[in-house]
Amino acid sequence: MAPEREGGRERATAGATAAGRGPRTRLDQPRPPRRRILPEWDPDAFGRLSERIARFIGTGRFLVWMTVVIIVWVLWNIAAPSELRFDEYPFIFLTLALSLQASYAAPLILLAQNRQDDRDRVNLEQDRKQNERSIADTEYLTREIAALRVNLGEVATRDWMRSELQDLVKELDAHRNGHHDRGVFPAERSPGRDVDDR
């Protein structure tokens, strides 16, 4: 299309997409990073922290410290002078603190369990692959041993050689004792027969 002239300036006809563009963007260059409103955190680091907290909550040390804190709290708010008490008898602030601790402890424990489940799943997958490799190796070795047994069946064994030699010795003994029906070796045959064969 030919460019249009308006007031001495050349203007190319712009499509609908070009009209909506602001500053010129290049496709061969990456976009600048967007600013995020929320702070970024490493989920793996957060998971490790939650596992540490969950492990600590599951220890006897935590139970002892929590029991000591609760006993001191109750004794302080009962026995201390009334000006120094910060949580009177129904202990509403103590109940709030324990509820808050429980509300944070439950998700942290669940997060730690989820991470442990992921690790167990990866370990199970690796164990399964290792078992498959072991089974394949065992089947290969079994086939090789079976092939060796088949091939050894065709090889002359010591017992077979011994029985064959004993049979030959018996035939030689029979030949020496007067049974001249046939010779075992061609050299033991009578010389007349060799002459006739020629």
Side-chain angles (χ1 to χ4, degrees):
M1 294 181 117
E4 298 177 3
R5 291 193 176 258
E6 282 187 10
R9 288 186 176 174
E10 288 187 3
R11 185 178 69 116
T13 308
T17 57
R21 283 190 203 158
R24 190 173 226 180
T25 58
R26 294 188 55 179
L27 295 177
D28 62 339
Q29 305 223 342
R31 288 184 175 177
R34 295 182 181 178
R35 294 186 185 191
R36 296 190 178 226
I37 299 170
L38 298 174
E40 292 185 30
W41 66 85
D42 183 15
D44 206 33
F46 185 73
R48 285 193 300 270
L49 177 66
S50 68
E51 282 181 341
R52 279 193 213 128
I53 293 171
R55 281 193 195 105
F56 178 67
I57 288 174
T59 61
R61 179 184 294 171
F62 173 75
L63 290 175
V64 168
W65 279 110
M66 190 170 79
T67 305
V68 167
V69 166
I70 290 172
I71 290 172
V72 168
W73 187 299
V74 170
L75 289 177
W76 180 269
N77 287 303
I78 289 174
S82 59
E83 311 83 46
L84 298 175
R85 293 180 194 167
F86 55 89
D87 193 15
E88 291 296 326
Y89 165 65
F91 305 119
I92 296 172
F93 189 50
L94 177 64
T95 306
L96 178 66
L98 291 175
S99 298
L100 186 65
Q101 181 261 332
S103 66
Y104 272 98
L108 288 174
I109 291 170
L110 288 174
L111 181 61
Q113 285 178 347
N114 288 341
R115 284 175 56 87
Q116 186 62 42
D117 288 344
D118 292 342
R119 276 196 298 271
D120 290 344
R121 191 176 305 115
V122 168
N123 288 337
L124 284 174
E125 184 67 23
Q126 289 175 349
D127 289 345
R128 187 184 64 77
K129 287 180 181 177
Q130 181 65 35
N131 288 341
E132 286 177 357
R133 283 193 294 267
S134 298
I135 289 171
D137 291 344
T138 305
E139 289 175 353
Y140 172 75
L141 289 174
T142 304
R143 286 193 300 271
E144 289 296 315
I145 289 172
L148 285 173
R149 283 183 179 169
V150 167
N151 290 336
L152 279 177
E154 298 171 1
V155 174
T157 61
R158 186 185 310 166
D159 294 335
W160 182 80
M161 291 294 289
R162 187 177 293 139
S163 67
E164 290 296 317
L165 288 174
Q166 286 173 352
D167 290 345
L168 284 174
V169 168
K170 286 178 185 175
E171 286 183 20
L172 286 174
D173 287 342
H175 179 67
R176 283 187 192 142
N177 290 336
H179 297 90
H180 296 294
D181 53 350
R182 66 179 182 91
V184 177
F185 297 110
E188 293 177 352
R189 294 180 187 161
S190 62
R193 184 168 179 184
D194 288 340
V195 172
D196 292 340
D197 289 341
R198 291 180 194 160

